[in-house]
Amino acid sequence: MARTTVVGACPHDCPDTCSILTTVEDGKAIAVRGNPDHPFTRGRLCVKVNNYEERVYSDKRVLYPMKRVGPKGTKQFQRISWDEAIDTIASRWKTIIAEHGAQAILPYSYLGTQGVINGLNVGDPLFNKLGATVLERTFCDSGSCTAYLLTIGHTPGVDPESFVHSKYIILWACNTLSTNSHHWPFIEQAKKNGAKLVVIDPVRTRTARLADWHIQIRPGTDAALALAMMHVIIKEDLVDRDYIDKHTVGYDELVERVATYTPEFAAQETGIPVEDILKLAREYATTPPAVVRIGVAVERHAGGGQTVRAIACLPGLIGAWKHVGGGLLQLPIWAFPVKWEVLMRPELAPEKMRVLNSWRLGAALTGELGFDPPIKALFVYNANPMAMVTEQDKIEKGLEREDLFTVVSEHFITDTAKYADIVLPATTQLEQKDIMFSWGHLYLSYNNQAIEPLGEAVPNTELFRRLAKAMGITDPSFFRTDDEMIEAALDWTNPVLQGITLDDVKAKGYSRLNMPAPADWAPHRDGNFPTATGKIEFKSTIAEGGNFVAPLFRQGYGGDQDGSPIDPLPHYISPNESARTAPHLAERYPLSLISPKSHAFLNSNYGNLPAQTAQAGEEQAVILNPDDAAHRGIEAGAPIRVFNDRGSFEAYATVSADVMAGVVVAPSGYWQRSNRKGATVHALTPPAFADLGRAPTFSDVLVQVGRV
């Protein structure tokens, strides 16, 4: 009996990017565990992946190519060969291109895997070469990134491990224990060292329960709080004037801007008492090192981008960047020298491309957007839009079109895959190799293939090699091996990789980027921000270019940008849907709905697997405040209906004071089968974009809840 241990890395869209050890016995993976030697993973995996081998060997896996043999949506498929599948796809695409043009083909993907070569950009070269419609993928952090770039540039920010040296930690819209759990030990150590932990969140989450101070805030009003904090810090002269003079621009204009954002104003908007706003501002400004960790949820409302702009200004006011463990943490991904242009190949695309935002899939498929040519072919990989995107009735109607040729590459027959004409079997992380950046720490990770692919599953890299060949592409770059792609995907001459070789990372499974140790690194002690001025830009110098989505989110394509004006100074934008901003709507739909990530699911991953659904609850639950539940005659466990003008779903009620009055919580990630009437929470969310980066606004929605 041959037993080996293979070192790999978690594939998921999670900041932790854990190092995983897979035990393989006679060619079969029998167990996975966290790598005890990895300084961030520390031997532990979360509930999502601690039984990953069960995902791999699930009897529900798609293991062979299949074609539809029944009506769309009925899950009636028949096994076919890879040759037939690829020939069918290529033939249909060539016909569509001949009759309608390549823009009639739409790729649809996101981060079903976060691997550098199998993840976000793996299909970009092919679709750019064909001239297909560009998918603008702004599900997560696009608005935040636009705001971040406008303010402090593409800096990795505070090393997550440096939090042990922080004395005042604000987790803003960040449920660390559920969505960034391997960062918690560093926060916990800081607390033991005397740090104060503040959590700003409408919900008393697992993380908020362990905070020294939980501040409940109305959804979508975070910028009002951040601007009021600046108002207090400036008015009470708690600023670091030396740091401001040397390393910021636009301070005088910022002073004028925040003058009207008083604590009294913020209290009315946020629901936070004036005295708490004053206390937060004073403590934050006078307890160095102070650090803010923002979660992805902070951007998901009408003013999400300006919220991130306001928060990103705070550390500059108090000179927090001077200290180890002081400043702001958004995405350490900026530290990794990934050669995105090599992955995306934007130079292959025609000069003029058509762009569709991923959030508007339903409107595109039903013809509402008036596309000419219309979408005639849809290719879905690394995504499950039927469960995770708004306007689900429109998506369903579009997917049911007989003239729409849909291909889905997947592990399972998802809510989306059941409408496919062709379903293709994709490998899991144990069956493929990849190299991984992280948006939650500073370790480059390598995923060694642990087992041979089950059935006829192939990695995304191989899938696109086969498609490129079938489409008559001869460019050798399309046919590089996975090893060659990994080698080409990073700038190995970059100083952060000095002394690190690919062979080293492959053998050990990970390597910390060549950066100062967490105990020593204050990245902007002396300024040096990666902005046009080299400084924090309270008043942005690039705002004059108008609203934009970073090319990384749109296949490298820089054209057809929003371009709408951006105020160069941070300001407050009220939620689109709230009792204060939409009183007539609130008369019918008085409750604010938020849909945070589930503790047990990763987006819609694991929403169909027994261990994770047992932990999360077999069916969708919705959490209501006791006052809101009593007003509606709803008891815990009762079947309820959540609805607005856009749609509805049915679920079961959980009643808890952990949710502030006027707010209801429906964790996302459940599949349609887990909801009593087939829709998911995103059937209710609006198709509107936030102010920056075309971020979605699925935390900016009014609903009503009633008994079934």
Side-chain angles (χ1 to χ4, degrees), residues 62 64-68 72 77 82 85 89 93 106 108-109 361 377-386 399 404-426 460 463-464 467 671:
V62 173
Y64 304 96
M66 298 185 293
K67 68 178 180 182
R68 177 174 61 88
K72 290 192 173 188
F77 297 102
W82 264 106
I89 296 168
W93 283 2
L106 174 67
Y108 199 97
S109 67
L361 177 63
L378 178 67
F379 191 89
V380 182
Y381 63 101
N382 290 351
N384 182 15
M386 196 64 218
L399 291 175
L404 178 71
F405 177 61
T406 302
V407 180
V408 178
S409 174
E410 256 298 351
H411 297 155
F412 303 100
I413 300 298
T414 62
D415 292 338
T416 306
K418 70 181 183 181
Y419 293 96
D421 295 288
I422 300 288
V423 178
L424 303 174
N460 289 335
L463 168 60
F464 283 102
L467 288 169
W671 290 20

Side-chain angles (χ1 to χ4, degrees), residues 6 64 86 206 240 271 324 487 616 619 643 675:
V6 181
Y64 304 96
I86 294 295
R206 294 168 186 260
D240 185 326
V324 174
E487 182 76 40
E619 298 191 63
F643 60 97
N675 294 285

